[in-house]
Amino acid sequence: MPVMVASENGRRGMMAAMMLLREGGSALDAVELACRIVEDDPDDHSVGYGGLPNVLGEVELDASIMDGGATLRAGAVAAVQGYGCAITLARKVMEETPHVLVVARGAERLAAELGESPQDQRTEEALRRWRERFAERGLTPGATENLRSVARILTRPLNLQDKIYKAARVDTLGTVNFIALDAQGNLAAAVSTSGLGWKYPGRVGDSPLIGAGNYCDNRYGAAACTGMGELAIRAATARSLVLYLKCGMPLVEAGREALRDLLTLDAAEGQYMNIVTLTPTGEHAGFSTVPGKQYLFQRAEMDEPQLADRLMLE
Ligand code: GLY
């Protein structure tokens, strides 16, 4: 019965989590473990330690976790600096506070109260890439007074020819997400990100927003997003897809309806949205607004995760 789906960068996390699920572990533990593995990986520049910094050179992390059980419990943190375990903090918000979303200084205080050790989340490589983007634009890091303009310039794709190519080449977006179905039939979903590289300080994307980047309900299914978070926030993408399932649409139709919602937003060039989804019966699919995108899935009997193509609108 156990099944997992994830964004393309979730391979190592998925393999570890699937071992846990095979031993009877819960979907909630599986998605947290899987996210932690990606958060701790300095080579993933879109999540946790080593994530691409904001325009000021600070790494700010967002994450959410949702339990598809009867009470639809959820927890999230946003704009967290100095701690890398964003998904675990999100789970602590869910399990140890009466809240759903705790941000910035509050989330950092919570981390300290929980005994987590603060750690600079910036790696040399991420800082090198951060400085390079300023240099490419003839700007000096830290030498600007108008951060809004600088953030806008720095998050635009560079030297790209056509719209599809632009979408595929954007390097400032990234996130990891996992959805798991455990042997008891419970679904859980987790999303973690350092958000949009060179973002305006305090910018929060879809990943920590329940209903936008993450939604999970044992009765109908779960959905999680990667890509330009502003799109999923405006279309409430994750919740919409699950709602379409609740209304009786088949999985592929529900995903395509969520894509249709995104189309109406008239996204700027280079902005795209990806969705993964998993139902209580283990049916899974991935969707994207742009071609060439894939997602990972693994069933308990599979030795390793496999890639599958994300569907687009026909
Ligand atoms: N999807 C991640 C973000 O926009 O922050």
Side-chain angles (χ1 to χ4, degrees), residues 2-307:
V3 188
M4 285 189 79
V5 293
S7 50
E8 300 95 309
N9 52 346
R11 179 172 291 273
R12 276 203 315 126
M14 185 179 281
M15 288 184 77
M18 185 50 82
M19 281 171 64
L20 189 148
L21 287 171
R22 281 195 200 102
E23 288 161 10
S26 73
L28 208 52
D29 287 341
V31 293
E32 181 188 3
L33 171 69
C35 271
R36 280 297 288 259
I37 288 170
V38 186
E39 286 175 343
D40 291 345
D41 179 358
D43 295 327
D44 190 314
H45 293 297
S46 64
V47 183
Y49 179 63
L52 283 170
N54 66 16
V55 69
L56 290 174
E58 300 155 338
V59 174
E60 290 185 335
L61 304 180
D62 303 337
S64 68
I65 192 161
M66 186 158 184
D67 174 357
T71 60
L72 301 178
R73 295 186 305 162
V77 291
V80 182
Q81 292 188 23
Y83 293 90
C85 49
I87 199 65
T88 297
L89 293 179
R91 184 162 178 184
K92 295 290 184 186
V93 170
M94 177 175 83
E95 291 179 339
E96 297 190 18
T97 80
H99 310 307
V100 169
L101 174 60
V102 176
V103 306
R105 287 192 308 279
E108 291 150 19
R109 169 183 284 269
L110 180 67
E113 283 183 17
L114 293 166
E116 297 286 346
S117 303
Q119 187 192 7
D120 190 346
Q121 297 302 305
R122 297 172 299 186
T123 58
E124 271 313 308
E125 167 66 7
L127 279 172
R128 185 189 61 72
R129 287 179 61 182
W130 177 76
R131 284 190 210 97
E132 248 177 35
R133 181 59 60 95
F134 283 89
E136 284 160 358
R137 301 286 191 181
L139 298 166
T140 308
T144 172
E145 286 170 8
N146 189 344
L147 285 182
R148 277 178 308 163
S149 313
V150 175
R152 200 159 49 230
I153 293 166
L154 293 174
T155 51
R156 251 184 226 146
L158 286 167
N159 302 326
L160 305 172
Q161 302 305 316
D162 63 67
K163 193 166 179 177
I164 288 170
Y165 187 51
K166 282 176 184 170
R169 282 288 305 275
V170 170
D171 66 349
T172 56
L173 290 171
T175 298
V176 73
N177 55 33
F178 294 95
I179 306 174
L181 175 66
D182 65 27
Q184 293 72 44
N186 292 307
L187 283 165
V191 187
S192 185
T193 188
S194 53
L196 188 63
W198 298 273
K199 62 192 173 188
Y200 193 87
R203 175 269 188 188
V204 171
D206 59 323
S207 306
L209 301 185
I210 297 301
N214 187 353
Y215 202 78
C216 184
D217 186 327
N218 279 357
R219 295 168 294 177
Y220 314 113
C225 303
T226 52
M228 188 71 184
E230 281 73 2
L231 302 176
I233 294 171
R234 288 158 65 197
T237 300
R239 167 64 175 151
S240 294
L241 195 155
V242 175
L243 190 59
Y244 295 139
L245 291 172
K246 178 180 178 179
C247 293
M249 284 187 187
L251 184 61
V252 169
E253 221 13 75
R256 288 203 160 121
E257 194 56 31
L259 290 182
R260 244 172 246 123
D261 294 341
L262 289 161
L263 265 194
T264 63
L265 306 180
D266 194 21
E269 289 183 352
Q271 300 188 348
Y272 61 86
M273 185 46 58
N274 299 320
I275 318 168
V276 286
T277 176
L278 181 62
T279 71
T281 58
E283 197 185 352
H284 59 85
F287 300 90
S288 182
T289 57
V290 293
K293 298 287 184 185
Q294 295 186 303
Y295 71 102
L296 289 168
F297 72 95
Q298 187 174 11
R299 298 188 182 282
E301 68 278 9
M302 292 164 57
D303 289 337
E304 57 181 50
Q306 269 183 27
L307 281 168

